[in-house]
Amino acid sequence: MKNSLVALLLALLSSLPSLAQNNTQTVTGTVIDKASERPLANVSVSVVGLRIGGTTDSLGRFVLPTVPIGRHHVSFTYIGYKTVTIPEVLVTSGKQVVLDVPLDQQIAALNAVTVTAGRTRKGMASNEFAGSSARSFSMEDVTRYAGGRNDPAKLASNFAGVANTDDSRNDIVVRGNSPTAVLWRMEGIPIPNPNHFSTLGTTGGPVSALNTNALKNSDFYTGAFPAEYGNATGAVFDIGLRTGNKDKFEKTIQLNMFSGLEGMLEGPLGKKGNGSSFLVGYRYSFAQIGQSLGFDIGTEAVPKYQDLIFHLNFAKGKLGKFSLFGMGGISSIDMIGADLDSTDLFANKDEDAYFKSRIGVIGLKHTLDLGRNSYLRTLVSYSYVSNEGSIYKYYDSLSQRQFLTDQSTVNTGLRFSSFVNSKINARFTVRGGLLAELQGLDTYLQTREDRPDWETIRDYDGSAWLLQPYVQGKYRFTDKLSLNAGLHGIWYGFNETSAIEPRASLSYALASNQTLTVSYGLHHQQQPLPVYLYQERLPNGTYDQRNRDLGFTRAHHYVLGYDWAFARDWRVKLEAYHQSISNAPVERTPSGFSVLNSGADFTFPEKAGLVNSGTGRNTGIELTLEKFFSRGYYLLTTASIFDAKYKGSDGIERNSTFNNKAVVNVLAGKEWKMGRDGRNAFTIDIKATQSGGRYYTPVDIERSNSSGFEQIDETKYNSLQFSDYLRLDTRFGIRLNSAKRKLSHTFYLDIQNVTNRENAFMQRYNRVMKQVGVVNQVGFFPDILYRLQF
């Protein structure tokens, strides 16, 4: 695979463009009606402040061929529709800019085009049915902020209500919920955990397998989401893949410490101008490359990973429009105890551990027009996830290491999604459909850790259906007042569990720049599969498998939001929320245990015989002050104050593991033009984060020393809290645009944890040292990125 990447990079470099005639670039794209997704013809497209413009054709496409290098506002105006202006569009010499823009039809039709009535379209969710607690993010957003590691989940941690205080993973905590409450979707259909080194039931991992260079504007929801989203109680990542360039072949070469060495190719499929395109990208672990070249990368436990992503789009024909998409990744790591740092509490010198994982997703999407304002969209996908792990332990009394733990899991998913979307008129749009998932699982886990003999913890080979029908509608009473409402159903065949969920969101424009939104949603979610399938051996030799009877966890979401665009490119957003959680799995006998506290690690608690009688509540208020990038700088300040509590089967209310209490982020960046004609730029970005520490349960040192394995003190669940998490990141960047070639370079140095603060990561019992210590997060760490586009 590594030789294939080298060959691809050499092929890309050999195709460097010849000398160009001028220092401009093409801006192209498509304009559609947001509700019906029909192309809009004769839309006026213009670059604000320049005499550059054009109109869309019958397919909604536009081309502006001679836009100068730099940042520009691009405006879209059309009679009867709200004018939209996209600010600070970055135009480089190395890659054409593609803008896909949806326009909202006005209730009161305009008699003339009014350019001054435009609104800035930045951060608005692309889904027509989005209400409160929703925003979009772009590929540029993912790579803009300091400390982002080229990872969409790290980007989301900058938003209000979101916390990520684990430098080693990208799990996100949304409004005090466990990371397992997050739903990932790609191109409109659920996908498994899109991370390298992922394990069963989790939603995060150490390294993202999502290639950010393949992403288009995507939506992120933190509560009371629309009725089409289900099987999630915390948040939704709705990832979209961009299409490749339909008119020109383009290449990207990139190197990043975390995402690795990358080659990407895109361009037209078949004849140029027919509307079909392809995009394919491949990445290879930077650490693995460094080790193979003989460099000291700081550890003998080298993480090895690589991934592939692709998106094929075919022009619309008589049978409709088709696209084929997918991603895949492999990862592995060997942690040999003898090679690890003996002073590291996180390492066990008497233990060897091996882990490898695989992920693959492929999907086919079909869109068929029905009449003038309706369409049928159908998706079929298949996913495959596997991981294997084994642990060996050394004993002084034995000459050879002893096999301690063995696990193997294959998780498959065959998914079918189909819905009809119909724009009845300018006021009313309705969508209804069905998502059907056949979830297959073959999993086995056997261990003798802290046991006298081997015990089978998990042993299952089977499949079950998860069905989710839904219907939702949006009615606009006036241009100021609109209602989104719907119903979502969920049925899980594994144990015949079902639920009906109402959703609603009412939005009112107090003024042209102020909006008030009230939202409610009832949400249910499956338990993590390791919880369902954990079994405990009883004295008579049988197993307690009652976890398989667990029902859904349930959450009521209430959200009140206020959005005020108080000045050009500025906005303030305030949201207050309350989440009432019930049916959380807890122990049958009185204790402080709850599944609500799990999911931010590679494993889940080993508890059998659980029941759905636990509760929780998350209440908070969030503030976002944002200046979108303009006049050479941006600012994003988010603050969240919240309280996340839960009750176990003992009825005592405790702090949730994820009750950080307060999270504050301040991000800012400045860009200076460089060069005689200002085509180049120097950038500085900073990010400061402060968060309350996580609550945790202390280790029982006496029991741990006696057993030789970590034992927590279950009489003191979440009774202690780590100190506050503080971190400062700074990034310096240079962007160079060739004056003679269609080629651009981007370089940045991202200095993470500038002050080298020792933030607590976790407490850990080390059986070799027979002591408990605090393992700290990542210290001072420099990250680099270099990108070449042509």
Side-chain angles (χ1 to χ4, degrees), residues 556-736:
H556 294 271
H557 289 194
Y558 308 88
V559 183
L560 175 64
Y562 172 72
D563 198 315
W564 178 27
F566 61 90
R568 180 179 178 179
D569 302 324
W570 286 86
R571 77 159 180 171
V572 62
K573 185 176 183 180
L574 186 67
E575 286 197 340
Y577 66 88
H578 176 73
Q579 300 177 352
S580 177
I581 303 170
S582 58
N583 287 9
V586 295
E587 292 186 283
R588 292 175 183 268
T589 56
S591 80
F593 170 81
S594 175
V595 168
L596 295 178
N597 294 313
S598 62
D601 200 350
F602 294 96
T603 60
F604 286 82
E606 296 181 352
K607 298 288 185 178
L610 301 178
V611 293
N612 290 104
S613 60
T615 60
R617 61 175 178 85
N618 302 322
T619 304
I621 187 168
E622 301 164 356
L623 173 68
T624 299
L625 174 63
E626 186 168 16
K627 181 197 176 291
F628 301 114
F629 192 101
S630 66
R631 289 171 284 181
Y633 74 100
Y634 70 87
L635 172 69
L636 173 63
T637 301
T638 61
S640 307
I641 300 175
F642 63 98
D643 191 32
K645 295 291 182 67
Y646 81 98
K647 289 183 180 180
S649 55
D650 59 6
I652 299 174
E653 187 173 69
R654 296 177 173 87
N655 289 293
S656 161
T657 299
F658 311 108
N659 192 14
N660 301 97
K661 298 289 188 179
V663 180
V664 178
N665 295 294
V666 179
L667 300 95
K670 174 66 177 175
E671 181 176 295
W672 291 270
K673 293 181 179 180
M674 296 169 51
R676 185 173 301 175
D677 55 3
R679 77 169 65 92
N680 304 318
F682 174 72
T683 62
I684 295 180
D685 303 271
I686 62 171
K687 174 187 175 182
T689 298
Q690 178 170 358
S691 172
R694 286 189 179 181
Y695 284 87
Y696 67 97
T697 305
V699 171
D700 188 327
I701 187 68
E702 292 186 6
R703 290 179 56 221
S704 298
N705 287 337
S706 175
S707 67
F709 297 94
E710 180 176 290
Q711 306 284 347
I712 64 172
D713 187 346
E714 296 190 355
T715 65
K716 300 178 180 179
Y717 270 107
N718 284 0
S719 58
L720 300 178
Q721 184 182 18
F722 289 120
S723 58
D724 286 357
Y725 177 94
L726 295 168
R727 178 168 149 168
L728 176 66
D729 302 325
T730 303
R731 193 180 76 167
F732 304 92
I734 296 177
R735 187 171 64 249
L736 302 175

Side-chain angles (χ1 to χ4, degrees), residues 83-344:
T83 297
V84 165
T85 299
I86 302 180
E88 298 296 332
V89 175
L90 178 61
V91 180
T92 66
S93 57
K95 182 169 176 49
Q96 293 186 355
V97 177
V98 179
L99 301 175
D100 294 323
V101 182
L103 298 183
D104 277 320
Q105 186 175 2
Q106 291 182 323
I107 301 301
L110 298 176
N111 295 321
V113 176
T114 307
V115 177
T116 57
R119 57 173 178 164
T120 298
R121 182 177 176 82
K122 188 72 174 177
M124 296 173 58
S126 58
N127 192 318
E128 167 77 359
F129 300 94
S132 299
S133 306
R135 71 166 293 157
S136 69
F137 61 91
S138 65
M139 180 183 73
E140 186 181 358
D141 292 332
V142 176
T143 57
R144 168 178 289 165
Y145 301 132
R149 296 186 181 178
N150 218 22
D151 186 336
K154 291 290 185 181
L155 164 71
S157 67
N158 299 315
F159 299 153
V162 185
N164 172 251
T165 54
D166 183 347
D167 295 341
S168 68
R169 293 172 58 90
N170 60 10
D171 300 281
I172 59 172
V173 174
V174 180
R175 294 179 171 174
N177 289 288
S178 164
T180 60
V182 176
L183 168 68
W184 285 93
R185 302 209 324 175
M186 176 182 287
E187 288 295 293
I189 202 161
I191 60 171
N193 182 345
N195 287 283
H196 291 294
F197 307 102
S198 65
T199 54
L200 185 67
T202 62
T203 61
V207 181
S208 175
L210 282 172
N211 189 326
T212 55
N213 286 322
L215 303 185
K216 68 175 182 181
N217 284 11
S218 303
D219 290 345
F220 180 64
Y221 302 84
T222 57
F225 16 93
E228 66 186 85
Y229 301 108
N231 198 26
T233 56
V236 176
F237 260 111
D238 199 355
I239 298 293
L241 300 180
R242 67 180 181 87
T243 59
N245 194 309
K246 299 180 177 68
D247 305 308
K248 176 188 175 184
F249 288 98
E250 294 182 325
K251 304 94 181 176
T252 299
I253 298 174
Q254 180 173 292
L255 176 64
N256 177 251
M257 293 283 286
F258 284 93
S259 58
L261 180 62
E262 172 185 346
M264 178 169 283
L265 180 65
E266 61 183 284
L269 272 176
K271 295 181 180 180
K272 292 185 179 180
N274 68 358
S276 299
S277 68
F278 76 93
L279 179 150
V280 59
Y282 175 70
R283 306 189 301 183
Y284 195 90
S285 165
F286 178 81
Q288 192 173 353
I289 294 174
Q291 184 196 47
S292 64
L293 295 176
F295 297 142
D296 181 6
I297 64 170
T299 178
E300 294 296 325
V302 179
K304 303 174 182 179
Y305 51 90
Q306 50 193 299
D307 52 64
L308 173 77
I309 196 164
F310 67 90
H311 194 198
L312 309 181
N313 275 269
F314 302 94
K316 182 183 293 186
K318 293 182 179 179
L319 297 179
K321 181 175 175 58
F322 290 88
S323 65
L324 183 69
F325 62 92
M327 62 173 288
I330 58 176
S331 53
S332 64
I333 189 168
D334 297 339
M335 292 174 285
I336 308 302
D339 297 333
L340 300 178
D341 185 357
S342 61
T343 63
D344 186 357

Side-chain angles (χ1 to χ4, degrees), residues 411-455:
N411 190 194
T412 60
L414 179 62
R415 298 174 176 89
F416 171 84
S417 170
S418 187
F419 68 83
V420 174
N421 189 97
S422 183
K423 180 181 178 182
I424 307 300
N425 51 47
R427 297 180 183 274
F428 185 43
T429 303
V430 64
R431 178 182 296 178
L434 171 69
L435 170 63
E437 303 179 61
L438 179 60
Q439 301 175 341
L441 182 63
D442 183 358
T443 181
Y444 179 80
L445 172 58
Q446 188 180 43
T447 185
R448 51 181 166 181
E449 180 176 342
D450 195 24
R451 292 168 174 82
D453 199 359
W454 285 103
E455 184 174 337

Side-chain angles (χ1 to χ4, degrees), residues 36-83:
S36 68
E37 296 193 5
R38 287 292 196 278
L40 296 176
N42 299 315
V43 177
S44 296
V45 184
S46 62
V47 180
V48 178
L50 300 176
R51 293 186 177 181
I52 298 175
T55 58
T56 58
D57 61 18
S58 61
L59 299 178
R61 296 191 62 189
F62 68 91
V63 179
L64 306 178
T66 57
V67 179
I69 301 304
R71 292 187 179 272
H72 304 280
H73 287 57
V74 182
S75 182
F76 300 83
T77 59
Y78 191 52
I79 294 177
Y81 283 75
K82 298 178 181 178
T83 297

